[in-house]
Amino acid sequence: MNSFPVIAIDGPTASGKGTVASLVAEKLGFHYLDSGALYRLVALASEKQGIDVKNGPELGLLVPKLLISFKNSQIFFNGEDVTDAIRTENIGLRASALAVHPEVRSALVGLQRSFCQSPGLVADGRDMASVIFPDAVLKVFLTATAAARAERRYKQLIAKGLSAKLEYLLHDLQERDARDSSRGAAPLVVAEGAKVLETSDLLIDQAVKTVLGWYQSASV
Ligand code: CDP
């Protein structure tokens, strides 16, 4: 049982869950866990160390050795600010490839649960409701069409001054969706009891309000 209330927000790549989850956390004064950032960190660190993404056991052993810290919205690895370095498409694909290994997933469980602190937590990812926080007071599955998600990701990358091509992004996210949904370990699924929020035609603000409303109803 979680000691503090948890809102679990899962969904496919570029569904807007990160933006919505961090805004919900801010409104409630809750902590925020971006679990995908942890998988991306493992991707970056293992690439630096030349570990093959197919080598589950070696990747699993690497996780406890990683010195990860968070300061506001920045992420540090061995003291180095890697906030932007982990956001590339290449690292996203690598993260998705190594996230299939049960050794990697189980090595990250304790770290993810340690984010559940007073007064509460909003956690986003793929298996927040199904595996990491099965007792979450509210479980949300946030989604949008592949075309809407590719366009959002495109705008995000361009806004950061990174180069991007819409058709490649669409292809990459479909590949990532297929892998995240079909893997044996903690596949991306709509967890039992989760509320589905389709955001293709919703503004961020509307999605945030919907989640806050659901949380109010769930916590009375
Ligand atoms: O930003 P985007 O939604 O594309 O991905 P992310 O949330 O940063 O996660 C990167 C990759 O890590 C995903 O494609 C998943 O394969 C994996 N992941 C996971 O398996 N479980 C989680 N709880 C979070 C991410």
Side-chain angles (χ1 to χ4, degrees):
M1 197 61 189
N2 309 312
S3 324
F4 304 101
V6 175
I7 300 177
I9 303 184
D10 293 302
T13 185
S15 54
K17 60 191 186 313
T19 311
V20 172
S22 58
L23 286 170
V24 169
E26 201 180 300
K27 294 263 185 218
L28 295 171
F30 279 15
H31 296 276
Y32 167 54
L33 166 64
D34 170 6
S35 63
L38 301 178
Y39 287 89
R40 286 171 178 269
L41 255 173
V42 179
L44 184 75
S46 60
E47 188 177 63
K48 284 189 177 180
Q49 299 200 9
I51 303 175
D52 191 334
V53 280
K54 294 197 187 79
N55 193 337
E58 205 180 331
L59 290 163
L61 290 174
L62 171 73
V63 173
K65 294 188 205 144
L66 300 177
L67 285 175
I68 304 171
S69 58
F70 293 82
K71 234 181 250 158
N72 305 320
S73 51
Q74 284 166 297
I75 304 166
F76 294 83
F77 163 53
N78 287 344
E80 185 193 337
D81 183 351
V82 293
T83 318
D84 293 330
I86 59 168
R87 293 292 154 200
T88 65
E89 279 308 291
N90 168 44
I91 290 295
L93 280 172
R94 193 175 159 85
S96 154
L98 58 78
V100 303
H101 300 300
E103 296 92 337
V104 174
R105 307 202 68 84
S106 59
L108 284 170
V109 171
L111 178 59
Q112 293 176 88
R113 289 192 178 146
S114 73
F115 279 78
C116 181
Q117 289 177 17
S118 172
L121 175 71
V122 182
D124 97 57
R126 304 293 191 284
D127 60 344
M128 296 299 98
S130 56
V131 177
I132 307 296
F133 301 110
D135 299 322
V137 285
L138 174 65
K139 299 178 177 184
V140 178
F141 189 86
L142 208 82
T143 189
T145 61
R149 291 185 285 125
E151 199 161 326
R152 282 178 194 166
R153 180 51 51 89
Y154 178 79
K155 286 185 185 154
Q156 263 174 8
L157 292 170
I158 296 296
K160 280 187 190 151
L162 298 166
S163 69
K165 272 219 164 97
L166 195 58
E167 67 261 40
Y168 292 165
L169 291 174
L170 182 62
H171 174 267
D172 280 359
L173 73 82
Q174 282 167 332
E175 191 183 315
R176 199 125 58 100
D177 281 356
R179 186 158 42 200
D180 289 352
S181 310
S182 65
R183 69 183 174 215
L188 173 68
V189 286
V190 181
E192 215 186 304
K195 289 179 180 292
V196 178
L197 186 55
E198 221 299 339
T199 66
S200 303
D201 298 318
L202 282 190
L203 295 171
I204 289 167
D205 210 36
Q206 295 170 309
V208 171
K209 278 198 184 123
T210 304
V211 175
L212 287 170
W214 283 342
Y215 176 64
Q216 267 157 15
S217 316
S219 52
V220 285

